[in-house]
Amino acid sequence: VYTHILVAFDGSDHAAFALDRAIQIAKQDGAEVLVYHAIKHSFRTAKRIPFLFLPGDQSNQYDPLAIDQEAENQIYESHKKVAEKILDKAQKILDDAGVKGKTELVENIGPVDAAKELTESRGIDLVIVGAKGIHGAVERVLLGSVSTGIVNHVCCDILIIRTACSA
């Protein structure tokens, strides 16, 4: 019997299926559900980075891939607004289902570390996550998927939800 369920929710179909399964288990066991969405402030900030491969005066130019602090903050605030809408959707789903639960926006930390911290600090005994989410293929290659990261770093029961399997 589970009492505290954590759901990673990014608004994807897999996350919606994970939330549906959490609702089923919460109704069955009388558990509370905490739905979280993590956003990490990870943009490059403009700094004077010398281009050692350029001759003369050009060696002290700004990095052309960097953005200034104001633009970085605007991008972050935009991501935060989207995250809040995603969590509003999740809260409505919980409320409509009649399940006791709440949502939480976790800032400045990735979804795997957020799951680990929330699990340890909130007495979570089950984490439910979709097999895939909105994170792209490049991130999965470089960093590993969120579901794999949760399996490897969170110390409680974990349920990974797939929307469909292909033969």
Side-chain angles (χ1 to χ4, degrees):
V1 174
Y2 296 106
T3 59
H4 296 88
I5 301 170
L6 180 66
V7 180
F9 194 78
D10 62 8
S12 68
D13 289 344
H14 285 267
F17 281 103
L19 182 54
D20 288 344
R21 185 69 174 120
I23 289 168
Q24 291 172 359
I25 294 170
K27 285 182 175 181
Q28 173 186 312
D29 293 356
E32 294 181 23
V33 177
L34 174 59
V35 179
Y36 81 97
H37 183 89
I39 55 173
K40 187 173 182 179
H41 198 41
S42 62
F43 307 107
R44 296 176 63 186
T45 304
K47 296 178 180 132
R48 285 203 170 263
I49 301 171
F51 292 113
L52 300 177
F53 55 88
L54 296 176
D57 294 337
Q58 297 177 13
S59 66
N60 287 323
Q61 300 297 315
Y62 281 98
D63 180 346
L65 300 177
I67 58 174
D68 65 34
Q69 190 65 46
E70 182 179 341
E72 185 175 330
N73 290 340
Q74 289 174 350
I75 293 168
Y76 187 75
E77 287 304 315
S78 175
H79 286 179
K80 187 174 176 179
K81 285 179 185 176
V82 170
E84 289 167 348
K85 287 180 182 179
I86 288 169
L87 289 175
D88 288 345
K89 176 183 172 183
Q91 187 65 57
K92 182 174 181 347
I93 293 168
L94 288 171
D95 293 343
D96 290 349
V99 170
K100 185 176 180 182
K102 61 182 182 176
T103 62
E104 186 167 330
L105 176 60
V106 182
E107 297 184 64
N108 299 316
I109 188 170
V112 174
D113 290 332
K116 185 174 188 242
E117 286 188 14
L118 289 169
T119 299
E120 292 170 355
S121 67
R122 306 286 176 87
I124 301 295
D125 49 9
L126 175 63
V127 175
I128 302 179
V129 61
K132 297 179 183 177
I134 60 171
H135 296 279
V138 172
E139 183 175 88
R140 281 195 298 276
V141 169
L142 297 176
L143 303 174
S145 72
V146 171
S147 56
T148 299
I150 288 173
V151 166
N152 289 325
H153 298 287
V154 173
C155 295
C156 70
D157 290 351
I158 300 162
L159 179 58
I160 299 174
I161 304 298
R162 299 181 61 105
T163 56
C165 294
S166 58

